[in-house]
Amino acid sequence: MSRQVVRSSKFRHVFGQPAKADQCYEDVRVSQTTWDSGFCAVNPKFLALICEASGGGAFLVLPLSKTGRVDKNAPTVCGHTAPVLDIAWCPHNDNVIASGSEDCTVMVWEIPDGGLTLPLREPVVTLEGHTKRVGIVAWHPTAQNVLLSAGCDNVILVWDVGTGAAVLTLGSDVHPDTIYSVDWSRDGALLCTSCRDKRVRIIEPRKGTIVAEKDRPHEGTRPVHAVFVSYGKILTTGFSRMSERQVALWDTKHLEEPLSLQELDTSSGVLLPFFDPDTNIVYLCGKGDSSIRYFEITSEAPFLHYLSMFSSKESQRGMGYMPKRGLEVNKCEIARFYKLHERRCEPIAMTVPRKSDLFQEDLYPPTAGPDAALTAEEWLGGRDAGPLLISLKDGYVPPKSRELRVSRGLDTGRRRTAPEASGAPGSDAISRLEEEMKKLQATVQELQKRLDALEETVQAK
């Protein structure tokens, strides 16, 4: 009798653990817009989610520690004049976030430490260049202040946020139809895009050239999403001709046939892939699903290995993915998702079961840190560099002066908009405060003199 050999993997028993009720974010009004983005972005400091807003577009920013019921009058970021479609935190500054909207603009915001105390209406910089709604924003992984945006005008713009200028344009000659997804390679040298014309393209953005492309990676007509993964490969999610959901792995040098193609189910929700380069695990979250599937990618056949699935009762309207430096390493947490319900945001921790509570070096190799490897000028000049790695052995401690190390361009914008942006007083208000302080000090001195005189009188009697 032959025995089936089970593939050995330290991630075979990864399990999802939803947070307790008091660790969730209750009574949030999640956006009802029909758009295939996660509607949620998270980093080690803040949770941001796109919410319903009357008379424009808004998103909510909460400190991670501010769990429980969210006040219905909580201040929002509300500078857009139409619904917000996508948001993304800057990987090199945990206080800076970008948003794309139906009002055809991209805005970059700076969130003060501790969160908002007043509604934030003035961005640090507004990036105008698209002629139709902007549905995708993505920061460069290693170059400082380089931001990509993709609009329904079929154009991808790459911005230098420091100057507020579009430095690269990939026009409708590259993508003749709606762009479904855009993903940077790990070093930011290439882009992987999927388009309504049923093609997946790998693009060198600085030259504007298509390095490789694949026609109809999935036979169905529904949207395809594509991301870079390890070992020079890309992963795509889409639909078969019979509307079955599929996941496929491709070698970027040989796109004729997939290395692996797996059919999943017959649900209609578009699958959003999240890839972790440290563990080589890809997580698939479907909009409208109540589950998260995860697969391990290896360098040898069959390349794509199904691990398991986290299931819950309620479906998800969106999903946020925490960077590795925001996880609890002493609990063997290798990923954390923030699942958006209709009126609630629920953290879900993905954990490897281990008996020891010591630091597990095999689970936490050096990971991407918060420092940029390149300036915008260096990257535009042709240089490439991988992320600057940090160890999580002693836990992640954010740099003390992180908020002061924004680029010169952002500093200029901050000086221009700081009074409204952060709710801090302007120069006129500061002068008035100083005058009032002097008056108070004079009053205190006068009262002290009277008190001294009164004490002398008492002692004399």
Side-chain angles (χ1 to χ4, degrees):
M1 185 174 70
S2 63
R3 286 186 178 180
Q4 186 176 1
V5 178
V6 178
R7 189 182 73 88
S8 175
S9 170
K10 58 194 168 194
F11 302 114
R12 267 185 58 212
H13 302 291
V14 170
F15 66 95
Q17 183 70 39
K20 295 179 180 178
D22 62 342
Q23 295 299 310
C24 296
Y25 305 84
E26 302 285 349
D27 211 18
V28 291
R29 307 179 305 278
V30 179
S31 173
Q32 299 295 315
T33 307
T34 54
W35 188 255
D36 291 329
S37 72
F39 287 175
C40 180
V42 65
N43 68 16
K45 281 187 179 181
F46 297 106
L47 163 72
L49 54 93
I50 302 173
C51 58
E52 280 291 290
S54 57
F59 59 95
L60 190 65
V61 177
L62 300 169
L64 278 189
S65 58
K66 197 172 181 180
T67 55
R69 187 170 298 280
V70 177
D71 187 347
K72 65 179 181 180
N73 297 318
T76 58
V77 181
C78 49
H80 286 287
T81 58
V84 177
L85 299 180
D86 197 18
I87 50 178
W89 287 105
C90 176
H92 309 125
N93 189 325
D94 288 341
N95 295 71
V96 173
I97 187 170
S99 58
S101 166
E102 287 190 12
D103 64 9
C104 308
T105 66
V106 177
M107 293 184 179
V108 179
W109 312 84
E110 188 171 14
I111 309 299
D113 280 331
L116 299 175
T117 55
L118 296 170
L120 184 52
R121 295 185 174 88
E122 289 295 326
V124 174
V125 62
T126 301
L127 307 175
E128 297 177 327
H130 288 284
T131 57
K132 292 187 179 179
R133 58 184 179 171
V134 181
I136 299 170
V137 288
W139 292 90
H140 193 286
T142 60
Q144 190 166 32
N145 290 338
V146 175
L147 176 67
L148 173 149
S149 63
C152 291
D153 50 5
N154 312 335
V155 173
I156 291 177
L157 295 175
V158 178
W159 306 86
D160 181 347
V161 175
T163 61
V167 290
L168 298 171
T169 302
L170 300 174
S172 53
D173 54 328
V174 178
H175 297 96
D177 213 329
T178 304
I179 300 163
Y180 286 141
S181 72
V182 182
D183 186 52
W184 290 100
S185 62
R186 187 162 165 79
D187 64 356
L190 298 172
L191 294 174
C192 179
T193 68
S194 61
C195 180
R196 195 173 183 174
D197 67 353
K198 301 182 175 60
R199 288 178 178 266
V200 168
R201 297 171 173 85
I202 298 172
I203 301 167
E204 213 295 8
R206 288 165 295 193
K207 297 178 181 176
T209 56
I210 299 172
V211 177
E213 65 180 324
K214 172 62 181 174
D215 186 28
R216 302 184 75 89
H218 300 275
E219 292 292 326
T221 57
R222 300 293 309 285
V224 170
H225 281 248
V227 293
F228 281 104
V229 294
S230 299
Y231 314 114
K233 299 176 175 60
I234 59 172
L235 180 133
T236 60
T237 61
F239 293 79
S240 70
R241 196 187 298 271
M242 304 299 293
S243 295
E244 295 170 310
R245 292 198 295 191
Q246 297 177 323
V247 56
L249 191 68
W250 307 82
D251 186 338
T252 55
K253 297 179 181 176
H254 307 284
L255 289 171
E256 296 82 17
E257 293 294 328
L259 297 172
S260 176
L261 177 65
Q262 299 186 27
E263 292 187 347
L264 303 176
D265 55 30
T266 55
S267 295
S268 59
V270 174
L271 288 167
L272 305 178
F274 298 89
F275 177 66
D276 179 3
D278 299 333
T279 58
N280 290 319
I281 294 178
V282 64
Y283 302 86
L284 303 183
C285 308
K287 297 204 74 171
D289 286 9
S290 57
S291 61
I292 302 172
R293 290 180 175 83
Y294 34 107
F295 297 77
E296 185 177 2
I297 296 170
T298 59
S299 58
E300 299 174 351
F303 304 108
L304 187 63
H305 306 271
Y306 174 74
L307 290 172
S308 188
M309 179 170 65
F310 164 80
S311 296
S312 59
K313 293 181 180 178
E314 296 182 73
S315 61
Q316 55 227 19
R317 288 199 52 76
M319 194 70 76
Y321 180 66
M322 173 68 81
K324 189 62 66 75
R325 53 196 171 89
L327 304 181
E328 295 189 49
V329 296
N330 59 338
K331 295 183 179 178
C332 296
E333 183 184 26
I334 61 168
R336 191 190 308 153
F337 290 91
Y338 285 74
K339 174 180 174 179
L340 298 185
H341 300 257
E342 203 74 35
R343 303 275 297 183
R344 184 161 65 102
C345 178
E346 177 186 43
I348 299 168
M350 296 291 178
T351 306
V352 176
R354 294 278 172 97
K355 291 182 179 179
S356 172
D357 57 0
L358 298 175
F359 180 73
Q360 307 290 314
E361 292 196 19
D362 61 325
L363 298 182
Y364 300 102
T367 191
D371 292 309
L374 301 170
T375 64
E377 293 77 15
E378 288 173 334
W379 180 75
L380 290 168
R383 282 190 60 189
D384 291 317
L388 298 179
L389 304 181
I390 59 171
S391 171
L392 297 177
K393 187 166 186 178
D394 300 318
Y396 171 67
V397 179
K400 292 181 181 178
S401 59
R402 175 56 55 190
E403 66 276 7
L404 301 176
R405 296 180 63 187
V406 188
S407 81
R408 294 180 189 128
L410 276 179
D411 281 337
T412 306
R414 190 198 297 117
R415 282 195 294 272
R416 188 176 62 250
T417 61
E420 298 98 345
S422 64
S427 58
D428 293 341
I430 290 171
S431 299
R432 289 196 299 272
L433 285 170
E434 287 175 348
E435 289 174 8
E436 290 176 10
M437 185 68 73
K438 288 176 182 177
K439 291 178 182 177
L440 283 172
Q441 287 173 346
T443 305
V444 169
Q445 289 173 359
E446 182 64 29
L447 287 171
Q448 187 65 46
K449 287 178 183 178
R450 291 183 184 181
L451 186 61
D452 292 343
L454 187 61
E455 285 179 353
E456 288 176 3
T457 305
V458 171
Q459 288 173 0
K461 288 181 180 180

